[in-house]
Structure formats: structure tokens, C-alpha cells
Amino acid sequence: MEKDKRNIQIIEWEHLDKRKFYLLGVCMTMMIRVSVYPFTLIRTRLQVQKGKSLYQGTFDAFGKILRAEGPAGLYRGFLVNTLTLVSGQCYVTTYELTRGYVSRYSSSNTLKSLLAGGSASLVAQSITVPIDVVSQHLMMQQRQGQSMGRFRVTTTGQAPPPGRPRPPPPRLFWGQTRDIVAQIFRADGVRGFYRGYVASLLTYIPNSAVWWPFYHFYAEQLANLTPKDCPHLLLQAISGPLAAATASTLTNPMDVIRARVQVEGKSSIRLTFRQLMAEEGPWGLTKGLSARIISATPSTIVIVVGYETLKKLSLRPELVDSRHW
């Protein structure tokens, strides 16, 4: 009994009531998105800016955006970004199904987590990248028609060209989104919506593949170091941010390149890397890392606690008493 309580049991896909799991999962994911989106926006702007031309760091960017653009400025592109809820559910489903498939051939939790995390990210990114491309361009929009990206939406307050009437006020969501979508399509065609797809895969597949094994590793180590009656949910809540910080640090260089490829319209990962190194040196590869970790820490705690709680709440009735919280 002592051994069972100390070991953190992983709830697998076949243990779940799927209807409960999906319904509660969508609600949980939306709450997480609302809480961490401002830091996602800040991270993207920090990664795209040249040097420290506009923002000195995460908190400087937060203050400047809040003063210049108001609270709404921290949520530019948010409604478009919520469409990635679909990819989130596809990610979870792929992760759990892949774990189940790999378990037929191997009992190694590290191998199952590695392959399942990578596969889940591949599926999710194929859905997410077009949404990310549009939402990131919306993130780059500032007041008075300024933009940090290639495209900008029509806004009030701009002087119209000579002989032309002043443009109408922007439609805050669909109007701006349609402007960006049309400009991306005119400039690059359908391929424009998958700009940075390879860079995204090279960023998020390793990130996901690394996060899950480290998450289980940290949870197991903490379980061995703490009393057997220590709540497993607490250990998992600590393990999540540790794994996120580890994965973020390892994959941040590719994340910087991905953001630049998608927002600046570059077509070559290698040339983007060379330009970044020439302009800013190796430190350029760490841009946005603090914002990434700051956004990942609370979100990962919420995700881990929410996800593990979600799985426990979604357990089939006959298995409820077999899991220690």
C-alpha cells in the first residue's frame, strides 16, 4: 500500500469517460487561453522586433502596450486564436491514442511519452499554423495604423491619400481579420497560411516530445523525495513548470526563428538564422525566453492541475477509488 501511494499512477485513455473528458476539456482550455494570452502576444512582439528597438523586455513591453493600446491591446488576435481549441482537442486525443498504441510494444513510460508528445504536436500544428499566422499578424497591429509585421489593417486616425475619402472605422474583429487574410492570400497565396510550418514543427514537436518525459521524470523524482501521503496533484503541479522551463530553454532558438519566418514573410529557416546571428549574435536566440517561461509557468500549472483533475473527474465509475490524488 505504501508503494502504491508513493507511485504516481498515470491515467490512460481506456480509463476515461470520453464525453465528460471532451466537454470539461474545452471549458478548461478556454480559461487557460484567456489567462496567458497577453504573454503570448508579448513574446511574439519581443521575438520579432529588431534588437530592443521598441521594448526592453517582458515587463517593459507589458507596460508600454497597456499604456499605448489599453487592455484590448494585450488581446489582439485572441478571437482568431481561440479557433486553435480544435487543435487542442486533437492534440490530447492523438497523445492518448499514441500512448495506448506504443504501450502494446513497450512498457517504457519515457518512450511512450516521447513518441506520443511528438505525434500529438505534428497533428496539432498542421491545424494550428494557419490560425497562428493570422493571429500573429493581428498581434503585430498597433494604434494609428502601425504594424510590426508585413501587413497592417486600415484604422482610423490615419491621414488618407490626397483626393481619397477618410476610411471608415475598422470592424474590430472580423473586419481586421478579413483584411489580414486577404493581404496574406494576395501576397503568398494559400502557401502564405503555412509559412513557417516546417519551423513550427521543428519547434513544437521537440518541445512536446521533451516536455512529457521531463514532466513524468520530475513527478517521479519528487514522489521519491516527499512523504508518501503528499498529494500527487501538488507534485504534478510542480513538475509541470519544471518540465516547461526545461523544454522552453531547449527549443527557444527555433521558436524565435519560427516567429520571424511567419511574421516577416521569410521563406528560409537557414537564412533567417544567419540574419539573426549577424544582427544580434547568439543572444538573439534567447529573445522572448523570459516571456515564454513566465507565460508557461502559470499556464502549465493550470494545464497540469486541470488536465490531471479532468482525467480523474472523467474516470470510469468503477476506477474512481483506485487513484490516489
Side-chain angles (χ1 to χ4, degrees), residues 266-278:
K266 298 182 184 297
S267 58
S268 171
I269 294 173
R270 184 170 59 182
L271 292 179
T272 303
F273 172 75
R274 287 180 177 176
Q275 182 182 0
L276 178 64
M277 293 295 288

Side-chain angles (χ1 to χ4, degrees), residues 133-134 137 150-151 177-193:
V133 168
V134 175
H137 279 292
R150 285 196 300 162
F151 308 120
T177 303
R178 189 166 62 182
D179 282 351
I180 292 295
V181 169
Q183 290 179 68
I184 292 172
F185 185 76
R186 281 198 301 269
D188 302 315
V190 174
R191 290 180 61 185
F193 297 99

Side-chain angles (χ1 to χ4, degrees), residues 60-207:
D60 180 60
F62 182 88
K64 285 181 177 176
I65 293 171
L66 198 59
R67 287 193 298 272
E69 305 172 46
L74 295 168
Y75 282 90
R76 290 188 184 277
F78 175 73
L79 291 179
V80 172
N81 191 262
T82 59
L83 297 176
T84 58
L85 286 172
V86 175
S87 68
Q89 298 309 304
C90 291
Y91 177 95
V92 168
T93 303
T94 304
Y95 176 79
E96 296 292 350
L97 290 176
T98 304
R99 277 188 64 90
Y101 179 78
V102 176
S103 65
R104 299 178 191 173
Y105 305 97
S106 173
S107 60
S108 169
N109 185 53
T110 299
L111 181 62
K112 287 191 285 187
S113 299
L114 185 71
L115 294 178
S119 300
S121 190
L122 173 63
V123 171
Q125 285 306 304
S126 298
I127 300 169
T128 298
V129 167
I131 301 170
D132 268 350
V133 168
V134 175
S135 67
Q136 284 175 343
H137 279 292
L138 289 169
M139 289 178 192
M140 295 298 103
Q141 304 305 311
Q142 298 170 294
R143 283 191 170 177
Q144 304 303 322
Q146 298 175 336
S147 173
M148 295 175 66
R150 285 196 300 162
F151 308 120
R152 63 183 178 84
V153 296
T154 303
T155 62
T156 57
Q158 290 178 271
R164 292 191 183 181
R166 183 175 292 278
R171 287 150 292 175
L172 292 181
F173 172 48
W174 290 117
Q176 292 186 358
T177 303
R178 189 166 62 182
D179 282 351
I180 292 295
V181 169
Q183 290 179 68
I184 292 172
F185 185 76
R186 281 198 301 269
D188 302 315
V190 174
R191 290 180 61 185
F193 297 99
Y194 276 90
R195 186 175 291 279
Y197 177 63
V198 174
S200 290
L201 295 183
L202 293 176
T203 300
Y204 290 114
I205 288 180
N207 188 83

